Amino acid sequence: MALTLKYSTPSLNGTIQVPGDKSISHRSIMFGAMAEGTTTVEGFLLGDDCLSTISCFRKLGVEINLDGDKVSITSGGEASWQEPAEVLDTGNSGTTTRLMLGLLAGTSFHSVMAGDESIAKRPMKRINDPLRQMGADIRGRRDGQFTPLAIQGTKLSAIDYTLPVASAQVKSAILLAALKAEGTTRVTEPVATRDHTEIMLEHFGVKISKNIDTIEIEGGQKLTANHVKVPGDISSAAFLIGAALITPNSEVRLTNVGTNPTRTGILDVIRQMGADFEVEEWKTSGERSADLTIRSSSLNGIEIGGDLIPRLIDEIPLIALVATQANGTTVIKDAEELRVKETDRIAAVVEELSKMGADIEATDDGMIINGPTPLTGASVKSYGDHRLGMMAAVAALIASGDVSIDNPACISVSYPDFVAQLDSLIN
Ligand code: S3P
């Protein structure tokens, strides 16, 4: 059922704790399942993607208990995982699918992974290439390029690998497989991507070193169960940051938002656009966190590209919306990875914001937005992509007419209470 939103000259005021970081929540389950003993997690994201990860590990025989946003994972370590009798359903989650490939490749059993329609279109060759070089036996449609994938666990050996695409999922899959491989694996990333895997592996007692852009990890290391505090997800916070910036007379405080520097590209961008905001930061479980205060701001168009892109890749739909309200031209480039996300986010963002009256044009690797333009009501498609759904809901705050969003349920992939939390800020 579609969701129709209509706000008349709202302003946003109040304090929100955004839900837990999706990348860190996934890893807390995976690493807890790899460690012997009981791992406890607080601030876990109860979004559909992370629930898919939990369901996959339960099928491997790992005991996982949920109590609100607290989770406990009790495992006998990787050696105790059992051959799953059913297909491991990864839902809409690229992180579950790709990181689990790295984990399943080095087991002693057979498993099959499949997800939804969107997952079936997402490229898996980028993972299978390095894993096959390590000796992995992975089969699937078009020589393993697409799910469903069948993995016959086998012995792996270390590799030296340079990432051809800037992807934390590819990097992480290799690092996880490397723990089961014989020898020392080296992964070089020409452009830095989110380093939650490296930080959390260290938190679980694994020795991992980084020399300039090469990460080194020795096979055969065991993880020690630990406690993980998950900060709020900056990729979810981004939608409320954007909402506060473009809605007049607003001041919003977002508490305990993860500010790992590999994720804070959005803050660099809004600073450069001239936003009025404050950041008060601290550190927990090896990760940085902050309280953010964001006020309505007069913004200017800027150019966004290069090394900044992996630091804000998931925030681009929201940034494009904000840019429609900025003075001048915003150019987003070097972001061709957007074409293989939950949907083709270049085509989808341009199509849907155009419907609302934005002056926006797609390029091969990004988009060009001229602002400011008033937005009108429209019937907006989410493409089943959570970030498109949230972009449309934020656009509704400033649109002159009704905004109706199809399949709004997809928002629960990363932010189940988004619409209710946004509503709670409205005066
Ligand atoms: C993620 C890495 C990124 C990001 C995704 C989560 C992760 O994907 O877009 O939402 O948790 O490692 P890529 O590795 O494909 O860039």
Side-chain angles (χ1 to χ4, degrees):
M1 235 208 359
L3 169 74
T4 301
L5 298 172
K6 166 89 185 113
Y7 301 108
S8 65
T9 55
S11 66
L12 303 180
N13 284 281
T15 300
I16 296 275
Q17 172 60 60
V18 298
D21 186 279
K22 183 154 78 68
S23 295
I24 298 177
S25 294
H26 281 300
R27 287 159 173 81
S28 70
I29 301 297
M30 295 177 184
F31 299 180
M34 291 161 77
E36 200 179 313
T38 298
T39 289
T40 46
V41 184
E42 64 181 291
F44 183 79
L45 168 63
L46 293 161
D48 295 346
D49 270 12
C50 299
L51 296 176
S52 294
T53 294
I54 289 186
S55 117
C56 289
F57 279 95
R58 282 184 173 148
K59 284 185 184 160
L60 296 178
V62 178
E63 186 190 324
I64 303 173
N65 293 306
L66 270 172
D67 174 15
D69 70 356
K70 293 191 174 55
V71 191
S72 71
I73 306 128
T74 302
S75 173
E78 268 183 275
S80 71
W81 296 355
Q82 293 155 18
E83 184 168 77
E86 291 167 69
V87 171
L88 301 172
D89 181 358
T90 60
N92 188 243
S93 177
T95 306
T96 311
T97 313
R98 296 199 173 119
L99 269 60
M100 284 198 74
L101 271 174
L103 287 172
L104 294 169
T107 63
S108 56
F109 53 75
H110 179 265
S111 45
V112 179
M113 259 196 308
D116 67 7
E117 249 176 78
S118 154
I119 282 293
K121 291 187 199 136
R122 299 187 69 182
M124 296 297 154
K125 182 170 159 28
R126 54 180 61 192
I127 306 278
N128 294 340
D129 278 351
L131 292 181
R132 282 172 173 169
Q133 283 180 34
M134 298 175 89
D137 180 353
I138 300 170
R139 296 172 198 210
R141 287 186 297 132
R142 288 207 244 150
D143 191 28
Q145 286 187 56
F146 299 105
T147 60
L149 294 168
I151 305 110
Q152 178 58 58
T154 186
K155 283 209 176 343
L156 303 175
S157 38
I159 50 167
D160 279 9
Y161 194 75
T162 299
L163 294 180
V165 277
S167 165
Q169 292 176 353
V170 178
K171 170 179 66 176
S172 301
I174 301 169
L175 294 177
L176 296 178
L179 282 170
K180 299 291 280 298
E182 209 177 300
T184 301
T185 292
R186 285 174 205 89
V187 184
T188 301
E189 43 174 5
V191 182
T193 64
R194 64 192 68 193
D195 59 359
H196 304 301
T197 296
E198 297 92 304
I199 290 175
M200 205 186 291
L201 281 177
E202 276 196 326
H203 187 63
F204 277 76
V206 169
K207 280 204 190 104
I208 180 163
S209 62
K210 188 162 181 185
N211 184 6
I212 312 175
D213 53 5
T214 299
I215 304 154
E216 209 172 274
I217 188 164
E218 207 182 305
Q221 300 188 64
K222 297 268 177 285
L223 279 70
T224 308
N226 206 338
H227 180 68
V228 179
K229 278 188 181 169
V230 183
D233 196 326
I234 193 163
S235 298
S236 298
F239 291 93
L240 298 176
I241 293 172
L245 290 175
I246 64 175
T247 309
N249 305 313
S250 299
E251 180 171 317
V252 172
R253 193 170 162 79
L254 303 171
T255 51
N256 188 21
V257 177
T259 47
N260 177 316
T262 62
R263 298 284 300 281
T264 49
I266 175 76
L267 300 181
D268 295 354
V269 160
I270 64 167
R271 187 173 293 117
Q272 222 188 315
M273 292 177 97
D276 177 7
F277 72 107
E278 278 140 39
V279 181
E280 298 152 63
E281 210 174 49
W282 66 90
K283 211 166 174 182
T284 178
S285 295
E287 292 279 0
R288 289 192 206 174
S289 275
D291 290 343
L292 310 176
T293 306
I294 321 285
R295 299 179 196 90
S296 339
S297 304
S298 164
L299 302 170
N300 297 311
I302 59 166
E303 193 170 299
I304 302 166
D307 293 3
L308 188 54
I309 294 296
R311 296 180 53 232
L312 48 67
I313 189 73
D314 294 335
E315 288 66 82
I316 292 177
L318 178 276
I319 291 171
L321 166 63
V322 168
T324 68
Q325 303 309 303
N327 298 299
T329 303
T330 295
V331 178
I332 301 171
K333 58 179 192 176
D334 306 319
E336 55 278 347
E337 271 297 299
L338 290 177
R339 298 222 178 255
V340 290
K341 291 294 175 187
E342 284 82 335
T343 188
D344 175 344
R345 285 185 178 158
I346 295 178
V349 165
V350 169
E351 176 79 24
E352 301 313 308
L353 289 179
S354 296
K355 276 186 198 165
M356 303 181 82
D359 178 350
I360 181 167
E361 170 198 333
T363 60
D364 287 348
D365 64 347
M367 44 197 116
I368 300 170
I369 306 122
N370 292 305
T373 45
L375 298 185
T376 59
S379 197
V380 177
K381 269 175 70 178
S382 66
Y383 303 81
D385 180 336
H386 53 132
R387 305 214 194 270
L388 263 292
M390 288 189 277
M391 178 197 79
V394 174
L397 291 166
I398 55 164
S400 57
D402 288 10
V403 172
S404 119
I405 308 166
D406 81 321
N407 187 10
C410 66
I411 292 175
S412 65
V413 155
S414 62
Y415 200 159
D417 293 334
F418 178 68
V419 176
Q421 288 203 337
L422 185 61
D423 273 349
S424 76
L425 291 172
I426 293 175
N427 291 314

